[in-house]
Amino acid sequence: MEFFTHQESLTAMQWVLRAVTAYLFLMVAARSMGERSISQLRLTDLIIALLLGNIIAHPLSDEELGLEGSMITSASVIFLYVLTTKIALKWSFLRHYLEPAPLPLIRSGRLIREHLHKARLTIDYLFTELRAQGVDEIGKVELALWEPGGILSLFLKPEYQPVTPAALELSTEPFHLPMPVIKDGRIDRKQLHVFGHTDEWLLKKLAEATPLAPEEILLATLDDQERLQVYAK
């Protein structure tokens, strides 16, 4: 464990061990903070990302710094993050400060300029976001909200919304999600068990659908209607 503490110099293997230890520690830290901190960088998430990056980075490049102190500091920061998240669930004031309400940027086809300035967005950037969602005119938008996570939520006016079977009062079939049961020539027995089938049942089903052996299949999917789709390598 010499690589873990302060050293005047480190060998190549000790540098590798220090990097592996920091990597595994951050993996556990990210998992403990939850998936939201990974997918969305809100105020507290951004603070955590900056702090952890700086705390862990220094001992990975400076042999005179021990890894133990950085990991203790990182654990303390993660504890504060989790504590703040839990307190925010109980205290509405803190929750509204950390996760403010979304700002309406467009309402009934009209641009709300003061909210655009409050969100620190330019009109050019707003149009970029509109084009990314397939909207070419502000007049087609009934409501556009700038979410705290930096995402633009759009709601078109009824006359510009896509026609759905429900609007036409058409009957539709239930949705069936296909799941992979063979991936890269290997049977996914765990997923197959979810459908309540065995390897023997799948091999029989494959023989009816294709002359390919499982080893020759790149991907095979199955839905709850027992419809099998096979894609060869």
Side-chain angles (χ1 to χ4, degrees), residues 89-102:
L89 294 175
K90 297 182 179 180
W91 292 359
S92 59
F93 171 78
L94 181 59
R95 182 170 63 252
H96 292 158
Y97 176 76
L98 297 176
E99 300 181 5

Side-chain angles (χ1 to χ4, degrees), residues 83-160:
L83 181 63
T84 302
T85 303
K86 289 185 177 181
I87 294 177
L89 294 175
K90 297 182 179 180
W91 292 359
S92 59
F93 171 78
L94 181 59
R95 182 170 63 252
H96 292 158
Y97 176 76
L98 297 176
E99 300 181 5
L103 278 174
L105 302 181
I106 302 173
R107 192 186 298 275
S108 299
R110 294 178 179 271
L111 182 65
I112 306 177
R113 185 176 294 274
E114 56 270 24
H115 287 179
L116 196 65
H117 292 163
K118 189 174 181 179
R120 297 180 180 86
L121 300 176
T122 64
I123 293 179
D124 291 334
Y125 184 82
L126 176 61
F127 270 97
T128 300
E129 290 292 313
L130 292 175
R131 290 194 299 270
Q133 300 195 37
V135 179
D136 57 350
E137 294 181 16
I138 290 180
K140 295 181 179 180
V141 179
E142 179 64 31
L143 181 64
L145 298 174
W146 185 249
E147 305 289 353
I151 300 173
L152 185 67
S153 299
L154 281 181
F155 302 91
L156 298 177
K157 292 182 177 180
E159 59 267 29
Y160 296 109

Side-chain angles (χ1 to χ4, degrees), residues 151-224:
I151 300 173
L152 185 67
S153 299
L154 281 181
F155 302 91
L156 298 177
K157 292 182 177 180
E159 59 267 29
Y160 296 109
Q161 294 178 4
V163 178
T164 63
L168 300 177
E169 298 183 354
L170 299 176
S171 59
T172 58
E173 295 184 0
F175 174 72
H176 303 289
L177 178 65
M179 299 298 293
V181 290
I182 297 179
K183 293 181 288 187
D184 200 18
R186 295 186 178 183
I187 297 176
D188 188 340
R189 292 181 175 85
K190 184 177 180 180
Q191 185 59 51
L192 192 60
H193 179 72
V194 173
F195 287 109
H197 297 304
T198 62
D199 289 15
E200 291 75 17
W201 180 91
L202 179 60
L203 293 175
K204 182 180 179 181
K205 191 77 173 177
L206 279 174
E208 297 173 357
T210 176
L212 298 174
E215 297 77 15
E216 302 173 290
I217 296 174
L218 177 64
L219 175 67
T221 61
L222 185 71
D223 62 19
D224 52 11

